[in-house]
Amino acid sequence: MKRFVLLLLATMALAACKTVKIENGEVPDEYLSRAKKLEGVYSGSFEGRRGQLTITFQGNKPVLLYKDARGDSLVMPECRSSMNDLKWVYVTRKGAVESAGFYFDPGVCMIDGREVVLSFADDYNTIRVSLLDRRVYDRRCRWEVTDPRRGPQEICEIVQRDMTLNGKFSR
């Protein structure tokens, strides 16, 4: 019985989706052939600015580049931002790459995000790009009567909202 339970748990672990943490920005050899399917030039826009997103490989290391009419900064050109090494990849049960995160350096601009997230369509022809712009904390309050003798009480909580910068690119 114990072996059956262990076998069942092992099977479930193998069948599950997983996030693969990347070291040194290099794709592990077992995922390289799938990752290379993403290589290419994608046209589209980021925050309303038309541009091109390019994914190339230098050995096992993917390189992510963005270029538009104002330069090669994903955010404003004066920020001098850069997209750096691959940080993680999310792989589905079928072995498809669903999304990936790259380290992001905002340069001199005040952007909270430190990673660019790419989400891939099933056919790898469309990429959605998102970057955390800033976090906003709202105080939300409501009145509740928890004890009729004490009357209504104000109950407040802090709610976090993420404001993201978004884009979509296709081959």
Side-chain angles (χ1 to χ4, degrees), residues 4-5 8 17 32 42 52 58 83 98 106 131 146 150 156-157 164:
F4 176 73
V5 171
L8 182 63
C17 300
L32 190 59
Y42 299 80
Q52 290 187 327
Q58 294 175 348
M83 294 178 286
E98 186 173 285
L131 170 64
T146 55
R150 293 179 59 194
C156 297
E157 61 187 8
T164 59

Side-chain angles (χ1 to χ4, degrees), residues 16-17 23 29 88 103 109 149 161:
C17 300
E23 293 185 26
D29 289 334
W88 57 265
Y103 287 100
C109 286
R149 292 173 287 165
R161 267 188 309 131

